[in-house]
Amino acid sequence: DNKWSMTIMARNPDTGMAAWLYQMTPHDEWDYDGVNEMILADLSVKGKKRKTLVHFDRNGFAYTMDRITGELLVAEKFDPAVNWATHIDMKTGRPQVVSRYSTSQNGEDVNTTGICPAALGTKDQQPGSYSPKAKLFFMPTNHVCMDYEPFKVDYVAGNAYVGATLSMYPAPGGTHLGNFIAFDASKGKIVWSLPERFSVWSGVLSTAGDVVFYGTLEGHLKAVDPKDGSLLWKYKTASGVIGNTHSWTHKGKQYIGVLSGVGGWAGIGLAAGLTEDTAGLGAVGAYK
């Protein structure tokens, strides 16, 4: 299982001793990594108040856990396209891997096609937001699948060490590469979803004034209604937005800001001048 990679780890801050550990993707065969943020929220799960940790993983599953004990409470897909595993076994916590999409079972030098999500995950490092008022999580996501062919590679210090050729493309049933979603982590359900032409690679801000903000790779800063995702307004910035939306007050007035400038895994082709479809671990072909 490659313990303890792809793991949420809780430690006692006074002693440094491990309190509990949970491995999302044992023996990660798809480069999902699992380094996304963890959000703490007090939620009602199955009628019981719980102090939870909520984690939207690159593997496409959203995990709601008791942050005191590590008990897995909810684990559901936050993009219906996810297919590498059918579900999470709630007794063992293990994903039920589909053999067809297992790069390890298919073996070296075999191109496994149609894996969802792609290696950049259903969500990468772009942080989401929780609104205690709406009791919803707002997530910037990728709607991208891949072909993945592993090959043997020797480690050389200072050189890239990937050992796979990737191609990426939109998930079946559409041409869009991203969704902006509202998610109920107490039930593991998508409440609403807004398709975006490209991955939503910006951070999200939800405010007490019932507005949710996010940016797009096309350069728009958008404000939407948390209840149904309806667009309140948008502003075109000078470049693609991968920065984190933020807010501050000055002399009694609230302001919203975001850093504009294309980049990240999704924007690596434009940012680095790459042209081959398989460059950027397949991102160039998907986002060209």
Side-chain angles (χ1 to χ4, degrees):
D1 286 350
N2 302 114
K3 302 286 188 186
W4 287 97
S5 65
M6 276 290 296
T7 292
I8 297 173
M9 180 181 295
R11 290 189 179 274
N12 184 314
D14 296 321
T15 65
M17 295 297 293
W20 55 264
L21 301 94
Y22 174 72
Q23 190 173 34
M24 292 85 70
T25 312
H27 185 53
D28 178 16
E29 311 166 29
W30 307 270
D31 193 21
Y32 288 149
D33 295 350
V35 297
N36 303 357
E37 79 283 359
M38 288 160 278
I39 301 174
L40 306 184
D42 294 341
L43 302 177
S44 179
V45 181
K46 296 179 181 178
K48 184 178 179 181
K49 290 286 186 181
R50 307 294 290 257
K51 292 184 177 296
T52 70
L53 175 154
V54 179
H55 173 72
F56 290 78
D57 198 74
R58 268 173 56 178
N59 69 14
F61 285 88
Y63 300 86
T64 304
M65 310 184 70
D66 186 305
R67 65 178 182 259
I68 307 300
T69 66
E71 178 188 355
L72 182 63
L73 304 174
V74 182
E76 297 290 347
K77 299 174 182 180
F78 60 103
D79 185 341
V82 173
N83 63 12
W84 69 274
T86 56
H87 65 284
I88 305 298
D89 186 312
M90 295 302 291
K91 292 183 178 179
T92 65
R94 295 184 67 92
Q96 302 304 290
V97 176
V98 177
S99 296
R100 174 184 171 185
Y101 302 117
S102 170
T103 66
S104 179
Q105 293 180 45
N106 292 339
E108 190 177 304
D109 298 320
V110 174
N111 189 28
T112 300
T113 61
I115 304 167
C116 306
L120 46 68
T122 302
K123 193 180 88 64
D124 205 344
Q125 84 278 357
Q126 60 272 44
S129 179
Y130 172 64
S131 168
K133 189 173 182 179
K135 294 183 171 57
L136 295 175
F137 291 78
F138 301 98
M139 289 293 136
T141 74
N142 312 308
H143 190 59
V144 185
C145 301
M146 69 175 174
D147 301 339
Y148 189 107
E149 182 176 349
F151 57 85
K152 182 176 175 57
V153 61
D154 295 321
Y155 174 72
V156 178
N159 288 356
Y161 186 56
V162 177
T165 301
L166 281 69
S167 299
M168 297 186 191
Y169 39 82
T175 59
H176 66 290
L177 294 162
N179 294 304
F180 184 69
I181 70 168
F183 193 86
D184 184 343
S186 64
K187 299 177 181 177
K189 300 292 185 182
I190 298 171
V191 177
W192 49 257
S193 180
L194 305 176
E196 291 285 352
R197 180 182 177 188
F198 299 115
S199 292
V200 184
W201 213 267
S202 79
V204 181
L205 174 70
S206 54
T207 71
D210 269 345
V211 184
V212 179
F213 300 89
Y214 71 99
T216 74
L217 284 175
E218 294 166 289
H220 289 106
L221 175 62
K222 293 186 176 182
V224 299
D225 189 316
K227 294 188 291 295
D228 56 13
S230 57
L231 183 67
L232 302 176
W233 58 260
K234 66 180 180 179
Y235 174 78
K236 182 66 168 67
T237 72
S239 184
V241 178
I242 65 169
N244 298 331
T245 316
H246 51 281
S247 180
W248 69 96
T249 58
H250 179 65
K251 294 183 179 180
K253 187 174 183 178
Q254 184 177 10
Y255 293 86
I256 302 296
V258 71
L259 296 176
S260 176
V262 74
W265 196 343
I268 193 171
L270 180 60
L274 305 176
T275 57
E276 293 294 326
D277 282 358
T278 56
L281 293 182
V284 173
Y287 295 89
K288 65 183 179 181

